[in-house]
Amino acid sequence: MKKTTPAAKVGQNQGVQGKTKNLFGGLSKDLLLQIHELMVKSRILEERLIKIYRAGESFFWIGGPGEEAWGVPLGLLPRKGRGIEYDFFHLHYRCTPTMVALGMPMIEATRLMMNRSTDISTGGRNFSGHYCFPQWNVAPVTSPIEVQYPIACGTAHAQKRAKAKAISIVSGGDAGTAEGDFASCLVWASRRGQELPLLITVQNNRWGISTSYQGQHGEESIANRAKAFEIRARVVDGNDPIESYIAIREELDYIRRTGKPSFIEASVSRLYGHSSASGANFEKGDFDCVREFEMKLLKAGVLTDSRVKELWRQYEAEGVAAADQAR
Amino acid sequence: MAMGIAMAGDRCVAEIQFCDYIFNTIDLLKIAGNTLWVTHGNYSLPMVVMTPVGSGIHGSVYHSHSFDAWASRLAGWKIVMPATPLDAYGLMLSAIEDPNPVLFLKPKALMRVRGDQLIPGEPSDEKTLKSMIDAPIGDRRQWVPRWPDLEAYHVPIGKGQITRKGDQVTVVSYGRMLLVCQEAADQLKTEGFSIEVVDLRSIYPYDWGLIRESVMKTGRVLFVNEDTEVTNFGEHLAYRVVQECFYHLLARPQVLAGQNVPGIGLHPNLEDASIPQKKDIENAIRALMAEVP
Ligand SMILES: Cc1ncc(C[n+]2csc(CCOP(=O)(O)OP(=O)(O)O)c2C)c(N)n1
Ligand SMILES: [Mg+2]
């Protein structure tokens, strides 16, 4: 039994024709436009949340601008739904792009940001980015980093027992992999004969707050640590939505087919710094995947200037309306 | 790592940002506490672990925890919790020199609050100090702090301090709550109440002599802290007061602590409802005063 979401089906049908075909990995125009739109929506949402913080209407912001190219495909490809037959998400606090791709309206992130009692994730208790959507198997995001990794082994274990060919997906940052919980996850996911249907991902932005990757890691890539447990592992350019999409699709297929875990390390940007605690200012020198992808699509004629303008206008308006409503 | 450094005869101050995240190292904390005892004195672990604690910054579920009640159960550790910069400095120097593991709980909401007294050598002008030691926002790779030339100053571990003198009620607290207790005491003083405020400063060993002496004088005591109320450190102190001062008491000893909820919610209403506020302290003092033996 192999289920795919409609989005994944679009991707597998006819790709963009001619010269641009290789450029876009054979993904269809509709899919490319969908990915672009969701990336834009997620970026605008995060920038709105930062504005809410700046206006003094919230105490703290943390989120995922700079991770759209990775996070959007991660929300599009899995089997979305509630219960053990569907894929589980164990996300961290930078996964707004994945939530937007799953279908989260801006108002939900905004209520969470403004700690309203109407916030469906935490009822005004927790910080921004701490999503919890049981209807899509989105497990509660926790502030303690890395605990989601062994928890994900549990849902994967239950999924394996249910023989539903469903997968658990876990994500976190590079610095967090120093925690023992990360190692525990690799151990539990890879026991011989008892492997778990788990997609283990690490978004490597090369920072843990103010500690840089260089000073903390002896291993060449975090993916190498998964290889030591015989877990299939690779590093992808998480700033490239096409590469991310194809890699996630391949690994989800592999896990559904074999029931074994797989590991993806994605290089991403941390475009507004760690959080509002470090100012939440735009990092000018860093790769901006939304702008770059947009330019690439424009150049290839997949996207038009007027559509770009319209999208940014439309989602700006949704963001403003959401803030007004949450207020 | 800190334990190994200490075992090798070196010293360090390890930091856990924040105490909310200390729980995944609880096993090591336990071992650090029992090493001297379990090795029959073969290994002492002179090390300091400092960690920001408590609420007051709208830090929500994982930046508002308290750890004093938890810490008081880590036998073998000394535990300190200053309420002023000068005490923080003096307790830190004592902690570093102590032959035992010392847990240094620093109330995060007080980290930028100036005290009445300067650390010896601290520039009196706040701007001058900030220009010397505040890291710039953004790229700080080229930046180096210019530490002022400070003199040594020690606050002995295990010694509390009376910060307001009075003879009708004793209020014992520490950390951020100490400052709120002082405000409440000052407020009530204008209404004619005479309240003695004790800053415990050390949670273990604690200054029982100071508490006892004050309670014997006032006959009424309130313990205030912001950790959760069930199995709270204040309960231990109240119990000891009952055991040792019972026939001198004019009212039941009271403990005012945080609500027994799993976390402190982000919305100010949630935080205010879970943590003792100045008004709650005032009310508790009034209730103690109103009680007739
Ligand atoms: C167990 C635990 N310890 C410490 C912290 C404080 N903390 C919050 S974010 C962070 C850095 C995480 O870096 P990384 O895993 O690379 O993720 P990123 O924020 O870069 O996406 C730390 C140490 C925490 N949240 N949880
Ligand atoms: Mg990181």
Side-chain angles (χ1 to χ4, degrees):
Chain A
M1 184 178 66
K2 203 160 129 186
K3 285 190 195 167
T4 42
T5 62
K9 270 190 198 141
V10 175
Q12 279 155 359
N13 293 341
Q14 61 319 35
V16 174
Q17 297 306 307
K19 255 197 345 210
T20 51
K21 191 172 172 185
N22 289 342
L23 203 54
F24 297 116
L27 302 194
S28 74
K29 183 176 172 184
D30 284 354
L31 179 58
L32 293 173
L33 291 177
Q34 186 191 13
I35 291 174
H36 168 259
E37 177 169 348
L38 291 167
M39 287 171 67
V40 168
K41 182 176 178 183
S42 180
R43 173 66 58 83
I44 291 175
L45 171 58
E46 289 286 25
E47 288 178 344
R48 174 59 43 196
L49 299 183
I50 292 171
K51 284 178 194 137
I52 290 172
Y53 168 76
R54 294 248 156 81
E57 293 186 280
S58 176
F59 299 111
F60 184 77
W61 168 84
I62 192 160
E67 296 202 4
E68 294 87 353
W70 161 262
V72 164
L74 193 67
L76 280 178
L77 283 158
R79 199 190 282 173
K80 175 177 128 183
R82 184 187 197 127
I84 208 160
E85 303 267 314
Y86 296 90
D87 295 346
F88 257 94
F89 295 85
H90 300 268
L91 305 174
H92 71 146
Y93 46 72
R94 296 206 195 280
C95 293
T96 298
T98 302
M99 296 306 300
V100 166
L102 279 167
M104 176 184 70
M106 286 188 175
I107 183 68
E108 300 304 352
T110 312
R111 287 180 173 138
L112 171 61
M113 178 71 189
M114 295 171 80
N115 46 81
R116 304 288 105 173
S117 61
T118 47
D119 144 38
I120 58 170
S121 291
T122 82
R125 291 177 178 80
N126 219 336
F127 283 153
S128 65
H130 287 58
Y131 302 114
C132 171
F133 281 68
Q135 68 269 41
W136 302 327
N137 282 348
V138 175
V141 170
T142 61
S143 295
I145 52 177
E146 233 57 17
V147 297
Q148 68 271 30
Y149 283 83
I151 293 174
C153 292
T155 54
H157 178 75
Q159 287 168 319
K160 192 180 182 93
R161 278 163 57 92
K163 298 192 168 52
K165 291 225 177 275
I167 294 173
S168 288
I169 298 160
V170 59
S171 80
D174 49 303
T177 64
E179 300 269 353
D181 286 330
F182 178 72
S184 299
C185 172
L186 297 179
V187 170
W188 281 96
S190 64
R191 290 182 306 154
R192 203 157 287 166
Q194 303 182 66
E195 292 90 347
L196 296 176
L198 185 62
L199 177 62
I200 309 167
T201 74
V202 171
Q203 281 81 269
N204 187 350
N205 59 20
R206 307 194 78 76
W207 288 101
I209 308 187
S210 52
T211 304
S212 75
Y213 185 86
Q214 286 89 321
Q216 280 303 115
H217 293 259
E219 75 274 34
E220 205 171 285
S221 73
I222 296 167
N224 282 353
R225 285 161 65 190
K227 285 181 191 157
F229 290 83
E230 312 293 349
I231 296 174
R232 174 161 130 149
R234 60 160 110 176
V235 182
V236 304
D237 179 0
N239 274 320
D240 180 346
I242 313 290
E243 188 178 331
S244 299
Y245 187 93
I246 291 169
I248 295 167
R249 188 175 65 192
E250 281 174 7
E251 295 316 305
L252 289 177
D253 281 351
Y254 163 80
I255 300 166
R256 263 190 245 287
R257 209 173 55 243
T258 63
K260 291 186 176 173
S262 160
F263 186 101
I264 309 179
E265 172 181 350
S267 329
V268 294
S269 298
R270 196 180 69 169
L271 268 190
Y272 280 85
H274 178 72
S275 69
S276 55
S278 54
N281 296 311
F282 190 78
E283 302 279 345
K284 283 193 196 73
D286 289 4
F287 190 93
D288 179 345
C289 61
V290 176
R291 290 284 172 195
E292 298 287 337
F293 187 51
E294 194 165 280
M295 261 146 54
K296 216 164 140 183
L297 293 178
L298 280 168
K299 227 166 115 190
V302 178
L303 193 57
T304 59
D305 271 327
S306 60
R307 181 175 157 95
V308 169
K309 280 209 188 81
E310 175 52 23
L311 279 180
W312 285 80
R313 192 204 57 74
Q314 176 195 331
Y315 287 121
E316 270 300 335
E318 186 182 337
V320 170
D324 281 345
Q325 193 184 337
R327 220 170 265 138
Chain B
M1 187 113 169
M3 287 162 66
I5 290 172
M7 222 172 252
D10 208 343
R11 276 172 202 244
C12 76
V13 179
E15 175 155 38
I16 296 178
Q17 286 268 15
F18 299 162
C19 84
D20 310 60
Y21 301 118
I22 207 168
F23 294 88
N24 64 1
T25 193
I26 206 94
D27 216 356
L28 289 167
L29 295 178
K30 198 172 149 195
I31 294 170
N34 71 27
T35 297
L36 181 68
W37 179 82
V38 97
T39 63
H40 198 44
N42 281 324
Y43 272 105
S44 62
L45 293 179
M47 57 185 266
V48 183
V49 172
M50 68 172 175
T51 186
V53 297
S55 66
I57 61 158
H58 300 297
S60 109
V61 188
Y62 270 89
H63 299 78
S64 305
H65 260 278
S66 289
F67 199 66
D68 41 293
W70 293 90
S72 69
R73 302 195 43 79
L74 288 170
W77 283 76
K78 292 187 177 178
I79 300 133
V80 301
M81 187 156 161
T84 68
L86 184 63
D87 280 351
Y89 179 64
L91 282 168
M92 179 52 87
L93 291 194
S94 298
I96 292 169
E97 288 166 25
D98 201 278
N100 297 286
V102 181
L103 192 56
F104 188 95
L105 306 178
K106 47 180 185 179
K108 68 175 80 73
L110 299 186
M111 236 110 89
R112 299 227 155 232
V113 175
R114 274 172 81 80
D116 300 334
Q117 294 164 289
L118 293 178
I119 295 169
E122 176 187 347
S124 56
D125 174 38
E126 194 174 352
K127 275 213 186 90
T128 312
L129 180 65
K130 282 187 173 200
S131 70
M132 292 167 78
I133 64 170
D134 273 7
I137 296 239
D139 189 353
R140 48 184 76 168
R141 272 171 296 189
Q142 305 301 321
W143 176 80
V144 272
R146 288 177 295 124
W147 293 110
D149 213 0
L150 299 181
E151 289 163 34
Y153 172 83
H154 291 81
V155 171
I157 296 177
K159 281 271 161 263
Q161 179 171 255
I162 292 171
T163 63
R164 297 286 188 276
K165 274 218 157 297
D167 51 28
Q168 292 177 325
V169 181
T170 302
V171 177
V172 181
S173 190
Y174 41 80
R176 180 172 80 94
M177 281 294 129
L178 188 267
L179 305 191
V180 188
C181 289
Q182 288 179 168
E183 277 177 30
D186 293 344
Q187 165 80 35
L188 289 170
K189 193 175 170 186
T190 63
E191 295 176 29
F193 290 95
S194 171
I195 295 152
E196 183 139 295
V197 180
V198 175
D199 180 0
L200 212 49
R201 301 197 291 196
S202 291
I203 288 165
Y204 205 88
Y206 57 87
D207 197 342
W208 174 244
L210 190 66
I211 298 173
R212 187 173 191 279
E213 200 178 317
S214 181
V215 175
M216 290 300 216
K217 177 175 71 182
T218 61
R220 294 181 158 90
V221 63
L222 171 68
F223 297 99
V224 184
N225 65 69
E226 57 177 300
D227 209 338
T228 45
E229 63 196 349
V230 176
T231 321
N232 181 280
F233 177 58
E235 289 180 336
H236 163 74
L237 298 174
Y239 175 76
R240 192 157 175 193
V241 165
V242 170
Q243 292 304 308
E244 298 190 28
C245 313
F246 188 72
Y247 296 107
H248 301 265
L249 291 176
L250 301 171
R252 293 163 301 150
Q254 298 292 333
V255 176
L256 182 60
Q259 298 290 319
N260 194 32
V261 285
I264 292 168
L266 178 56
H267 194 283
N269 291 352
L270 296 173
E271 178 166 329
D272 293 354
S274 7
I275 296 294
Q277 305 293 309
K278 187 177 152 201
K279 197 83 213 139
D280 303 323
I281 298 171
E282 274 178 36
N283 289 343
I285 294 172
R286 285 182 206 279
L288 267 173
M289 289 294 296
E291 197 160 314
V292 182

